[in-house]
Amino acid sequence: MADLPTAAVIRIAKANGAERVGSDAAAMLVQMAEEYIGQLAKEAEKLAAHAGRKTIKAEDVEMAGKKE
């Protein structure tokens, strides 16, 4: 079961130019978004640990996003 709400993902897709989003496409968008967020969080955690912190800060997420 997905953690991200499908309706929110559909709204994001529509806000970025998609006129209509099929249910199968919405499910795939949710799955891929969750995978990306998971990878981003793992990389941000490594950066926080390298800095001697247990807490991920916005700067860690930003740096992790630039590495991808």
Side-chain angles (χ1 to χ4, degrees), residues 39-53:
Q39 292 171 0
L40 193 61
K42 284 179 187 176
E43 187 61 35
E45 190 278 327
K46 288 179 191 175
L47 292 166
H50 181 73
R53 292 181 275 104

Side-chain angles (χ1 to χ4, degrees), residues 10-59:
I10 291 171
R11 278 194 304 274
I12 292 167
K14 287 183 176 183
N16 285 280
E19 191 171 320
R20 295 177 63 177
V21 180
S23 60
D24 57 338
M28 184 60 68
L29 282 167
V30 167
Q31 178 184 339
M32 293 183 77
E34 288 184 351
E35 288 173 9
Y36 175 73
I37 292 168
Q39 292 171 0
L40 193 61
K42 284 179 187 176
E43 187 61 35
E45 190 278 327
K46 288 179 191 175
L47 292 166
H50 181 73
R53 292 181 275 104
K54 291 184 179 181
T55 302
I56 296 173
K57 292 186 172 185
E59 63 198 43

